[in-house]
Amino acid sequence: MKKLLLFAALVLTLPLMAQDEEWRWSQSIQQSTSGYYSPDAYPDVKAIRTPQSIAEVIAALPAFPSVENIYCEEAKDKALRATYIPFEKALNAALLQNGKRSQETDRQMKSFGDKQQKVNEKAMEQYNANVNAGLMPSQDEIMQLYMSGEIKQNMSDAQMMDVMASKFASKWGVSKQEYLKIINMAQSNPKGCENYLKSNHPDLYKRLYTTNAAYGNTNVHPDDPRDAQFARISDQITEVESQLNEVLGVYSGAVRENVQKLNDLRAQMDADWKTCSEAKQIDAIAEALEKRLDAWYPTIKVVGDVPFPAWWTAERKKMNGLVDQWNRRWAAKWIKDSQAGDAQLRSLMKRAAELETENEALGKQGSQENFQYLMNKKRMSSIFAYLPQVTSSFNEAFGFPCREHVEETGGIVREK
C-alpha cells in the first residue's frame, strides 16, 4: 500500500495546485517511456520450441500487436511475456541454428564439387581415350562442324545428332542409320544395347569395351529425374528473392517515413491530452476527490497507517478507465502507422516456406547429394536470415507512448 504523510498529501493536493492557474491535475499523468522491447529484459521468460524451418517460423509467427496489446503498460507486459518474447527468443535461437545449417550445406556442396571435379577429370580421360581409339569425334572435329555451319546454334538435339551420324558413323564401321540406332538404344536401354552389339557388331563391342572398361560410370548422379523440378523450384526462389528485395527496399523507406509519422503522432497526442474530454473529466474527478479528502482528514482518529476510503479507490479506477479510453483511441492510430510492409513480408515469407518445404520433400525422394537441391537449400538459408525483418515493426507498435495509470490504492501515515 502506498503511504503518504498527511502533511505531504495536503501539500500535493491543495496549495501547489492553486499556485498556477494553468496547471491541471491530469498533466501529472506521465507517458510511457518503455520504448522498444528486448528479450534480454525478460530473463525469466522461456522461449517456445525453436523453429527448424521457415515454415515453422511462419506457423509460430504472432499476429501484429493489437490495440489491446499496447494500450497500457500492463497490457504490453502481459502480451510480451505471453506471446512476443517467447517467440522472439525462439527466433533468435533459430537464426543461430540456421547459420550452422548453412555452414553444413556449404560443406556438402564443396564435397559434391570435389567429387564432381574428379569425375569430370576421369570423364575427360575417357573421352580422350575414345578419341584416340577412333570411337568419338575430337573437339577439333566438332568445332569444324560449327565453323562450317553444318551444326547451328538453334538446332535440336536430334538434328545435331543426325549431322554427327553422317560425319562419324564411319569411325564405328557402321551406317548412319545403324549409328543412330545404337546411340538411341544406349540412352534408352543400355543393357539391351550391350547385348545387341555383342550379337551384331562384335568387333565394335570389343573396341568399346576395351577402351571404356577401366572408367565405369562417370556421373555422380546420372540423369536424376528430379533435376527439372529442382530447377523449377530454383526459378521460383529467384522470383521470391527479387520481390523480397523490392519489398524490403520499400519497407526500409517506409520505416524511415513511419519514424517521422510516429514522431508527428506523438506531438499530436501531447497536444490532444491538454484539451481532450478524458483529461477534463479526470481533472473534475480529482477536484471532487480533493474536497472529499479535505472533509475526510479531520475524521481520522487513529495513529499510524490509514488506508484511503473505498470511494477514493473507486474514483481512481474511473480515472484509469478514462486514461484507457484515451489510450485505446490513439493506440489504433499508432498501430496503423507502425504496420508498414507487415502483410507483404508475411506473404512472401509464406511463399518461401512453401518452396522450402517442396525442395526438402523432393530431396528426400532420392540422394540429397544433388547440386541443385543443395543450392536451393543454401538460398533458403539466406531468406531465413531475413525473418527478423518481419517482426521489426512489432517494436514500433510496443513503443506506443501510452498514458500511465494512476495509483488505485494508497493511504497515509497519521502521526501524533
Side-chain angles (χ1 to χ4, degrees):
M1 180 176 67
K2 185 177 181 181
K3 299 174 182 178
L4 302 172
L5 292 174
L6 178 56
F7 176 74
L10 291 172
V11 168
L12 287 173
T13 57
L14 293 175
L16 290 181
M17 291 183 182
Q19 292 176 6
D20 188 349
E21 294 181 359
E22 294 184 359
W23 192 93
R24 296 188 306 162
W25 195 93
S26 60
Q27 293 181 31
S28 67
I29 298 180
Q30 301 297 312
Q31 280 185 304
S32 163
T33 57
S34 60
Y36 298 141
Y37 69 89
S38 168
D40 294 338
Y42 293 82
D44 58 320
V45 176
K46 294 182 178 180
I48 60 173
R49 176 183 174 275
T50 303
Q52 302 299 307
S53 64
I54 298 176
E56 289 189 12
V57 172
I58 296 303
L61 182 65
F64 195 86
S66 67
V67 168
E68 293 305 306
N69 294 145
I70 70 167
Y71 78 93
C72 67
E73 285 299 283
E74 293 83 356
K76 289 181 186 180
D77 187 67
K78 180 180 178 181
L80 287 169
R81 287 180 172 278
T83 303
Y84 296 91
I85 294 299
F87 173 80
E88 198 75 25
K89 287 187 173 183
L91 179 57
N92 289 341
L95 289 168
L96 292 175
Q97 289 190 3
N98 178 64
K100 294 178 181 178
R101 285 196 299 269
S102 180
Q103 291 176 353
E104 174 60 18
T105 302
D106 287 339
R107 186 197 65 76
Q108 292 175 311
M109 291 175 69
K110 184 179 185 303
S111 174
F112 180 93
D114 291 344
K115 289 180 181 179
Q116 189 62 57
Q117 182 177 354
K118 292 179 181 179
V119 165
N120 291 343
E121 291 172 354
K122 187 176 181 181
M124 183 56 69
E125 291 178 10
Q126 184 177 10
Y127 168 74
N128 290 331
N130 278 273
V131 170
N132 294 334
L135 294 170
M136 293 184 68
S138 67
Q139 293 184 18
D140 288 342
E141 290 174 313
I142 295 174
M143 183 59 66
Q144 288 175 7
L145 293 178
Y146 275 100
M147 297 296 291
S148 66
E150 293 178 79
I151 291 181
K152 300 178 176 62
Q153 292 289 346
N154 59 351
M155 277 185 169
S156 66
D157 290 344
Q159 289 173 324
M160 292 177 66
M161 185 55 66
D162 187 74
V163 174
M164 299 277 284
S166 299
K167 295 293 181 181
F168 304 118
S170 60
K171 289 179 179 288
W172 287 10
V174 299
S175 66
K176 171 185 174 181
Q177 291 72 23
E178 188 69 358
Y179 181 92
L180 290 171
K181 178 180 179 179
I182 294 170
I183 290 294
N184 290 329
M185 190 182 298
Q187 293 176 340
S188 61
N189 184 10
K191 189 63 179 177
C193 181
E194 183 180 354
N195 293 332
Y196 179 80
L197 287 172
K198 285 181 181 179
S199 300
N200 298 280
H201 302 285
D203 291 339
L204 177 60
Y205 173 78
K206 288 178 182 179
R207 288 173 64 198
L208 288 168
Y209 179 82
T210 301
T211 303
N212 294 283
Y215 296 99
N217 185 9
T218 60
N219 291 315
V220 176
H221 295 297
D223 300 325
D224 191 326
R226 303 170 298 167
D227 284 345
Q229 292 171 281
F230 281 131
R232 176 182 53 78
I233 293 172
S234 176
D235 290 341
Q236 293 178 356
I237 292 174
T238 298
E239 291 180 11
V240 170
E241 288 173 330
S242 176
Q243 294 175 38
L244 190 59
N245 287 331
E246 181 179 348
V247 169
L248 286 175
V250 173
Y251 177 73
S252 297
V255 167
R256 290 192 295 271
E257 182 180 340
N258 279 2
V259 170
Q260 185 58 50
K261 281 185 179 180
L262 295 178
N263 286 337
D264 292 345
L265 191 59
R266 187 187 296 268
Q268 293 173 33
M269 291 172 64
D270 290 341
D272 182 71
W273 182 250
K274 296 176 182 178
T275 60
C276 68
S277 62
E278 289 89 353
K280 292 177 180 178
Q281 292 177 69
I282 288 170
D283 288 330
I285 293 172
E287 184 178 351
L289 274 178
E290 290 168 18
K291 293 178 180 178
R292 294 185 73 174
L293 286 173
D294 286 345
W296 173 70
Y297 290 137
T299 68
I300 299 173
K301 305 299 182 184
V302 298
V303 175
D305 294 345
V306 182
F308 287 133
W311 49 260
W312 187 88
T313 295
E315 292 303 297
R316 300 281 283 200
K317 286 182 179 294
K318 288 181 182 178
M319 288 183 178
N320 284 335
L322 291 164
V323 169
D324 288 345
Q325 177 177 299
W326 185 88
N327 279 338
R328 284 188 172 95
R329 184 167 71 249
W330 284 97
K333 297 178 181 180
W334 187 271
I335 284 179
K336 182 180 178 181
D337 283 349
S338 61
Q339 205 169 356
D342 181 74
Q344 288 177 295
L345 286 174
R346 284 175 185 256
S347 177
L348 283 173
M349 286 300 180
K350 182 178 179 182
R351 179 59 184 140
E354 293 169 351
L355 292 173
E356 177 192 49
T357 300
E358 186 178 356
N359 191 63
E360 290 302 315
L362 189 60
K364 292 176 182 178
Q365 294 176 19
S367 172
Q368 293 192 354
E369 200 172 51
N370 180 295
F371 187 80
Q372 187 63 70
Y373 160 73
L374 293 173
M375 180 57 73
N376 289 348
K377 191 179 183 76
K378 176 67 177 177
R379 293 169 71 188
M380 281 300 171
S381 292
S382 297
I383 291 177
F384 196 105
Y386 282 122
L387 283 167
Q389 295 286 345
V390 182
T391 63
S392 63
S393 54
F394 292 0
N395 257 323
E396 295 286 356
F398 279 102
F400 173 61
C402 56
R403 291 284 167 174
E404 295 182 351
H405 286 162
V406 300
E407 292 284 349
E408 293 181 350
T409 59
I412 62 170
V413 177
R414 189 179 189 279
E415 297 179 343
K416 292 181 180 179

